[in-house]
Amino acid sequence: MDLPAHPTLRPGDVVETGVFMGGSGIMMANVMKDWDPCGRRYFGFDSFQGLPQPDRSQTEDALGTTNIGAQGLFAAGVDIVKANFAKHGVDDPKLVQLIPGWFNESLPTAPVDHIAFLRLDGDLYISTWEALIYLYPKVAPGGLIYVDDYGSFNGCKVAVDKYRSMHRIAAPLHWIREPGNYVEAVWWRKDYEIQYMQD
């Protein structure tokens, strides 16, 4: 994809793991449709069967004081989600691709080469971990990573902290505070030095 010469634009597409009913994806696709000069695409990955079984016996999902999650939580059929995108005028397959499947099946062969914005909303440890290992290497330098459940699901926080530590990601982690000073989501910008590929 050709990128216009602009210091704030990054090459790549918009990818979301964990679509649920499509609210965030619809908003992002509409912004891209109306304002994006780069021809980016939105890719939404989801099982469309809800969450997988969380790990309640080990530390990943059970460690901490926030949510563990439950199998089948946040289930929404793919046809319902596609209808929601169509209702809001963003069902053009050149713009939006909804890809069903468990992340260990769909992400290794994800049809996206470069990511400008990666939004993780998988709640559990394994969902967050698989999204990071398969997709983070595709995030363009200067791209953004947004993690929706860092402050609300035990396993999500464990996966993010572990991945950042393993790959020596030193980019500052920015907390998004909700009313009452509660933290739900975090984000960071990928450094230009791709630290996880060094050594």
Side-chain angles (χ1 to χ4, degrees):
M1 147 183 331
D2 293 328
L3 184 69
H6 192 291
T8 63
L9 297 178
R10 307 293 176 220
D13 295 311
V14 172
V15 175
E16 182 175 39
T17 59
V19 177
F20 189 34
M21 297 295 289
S24 297
I26 290 167
M27 178 192 69
M28 291 187 288
N30 265 303
V31 171
M32 292 160 62
K33 176 183 174 183
D34 294 337
W35 297 100
D36 177 54
C38 303
R40 303 182 199 275
R41 298 168 296 171
Y42 166 85
F43 290 89
F45 294 87
D46 201 295
S47 70
F48 299 103
Q49 301 177 55
L51 298 180
Q53 179 64 46
D55 185 349
R56 295 177 178 272
S57 63
Q58 300 181 13
T59 61
E60 282 83 357
D61 287 309
L63 180 65
T65 58
T66 57
N67 295 314
I68 294 176
Q71 186 173 14
L73 189 65
F74 306 125
V78 65
D79 291 337
I80 293 174
V81 179
K82 286 181 177 179
N84 288 342
F85 275 80
K87 179 181 177 181
H88 290 87
V90 283
D91 56 340
D92 183 348
K94 295 180 180 178
L95 174 66
V96 170
Q97 291 286 324
L98 296 175
I99 301 178
W102 300 110
F103 291 165
N104 65 333
E105 301 168 345
S106 61
L107 297 184
T109 57
V112 55
D113 296 320
H114 306 288
I115 300 172
F117 181 72
L118 176 60
R119 184 181 189 274
L120 307 185
D121 196 359
D123 303 333
L124 304 183
Y125 171 84
I126 191 63
S127 305
T128 307
W129 181 253
E130 289 173 345
L132 286 168
I133 63 173
Y134 291 122
L135 298 179
Y136 190 83
K138 296 184 176 184
V139 176
L144 298 176
I145 301 88
Y146 178 101
V147 186
D148 187 63
D149 308 299
Y150 184 88
S152 57
F153 278 81
N154 297 325
C156 175
K157 182 179 186 301
V158 171
V160 170
D161 291 348
K162 178 180 176 182
Y163 189 89
R164 283 172 54 93
S165 176
M166 283 181 61
H167 298 291
R168 289 186 259 174
I169 297 171
L173 195 65
H174 303 277
W175 294 42
I176 299 175
R177 298 194 177 276
E178 305 286 342
N181 211 32
Y182 171 73
V183 174
E184 168 78 14
V186 296
W187 67 273
W188 74 91
R189 184 183 296 276
K190 188 172 183 179
D191 290 341
Y192 281 88
E193 286 189 46
I194 307 178
Q195 297 174 353
Y196 66 90
M197 292 184 64
Q198 295 180 349
D199 295 338

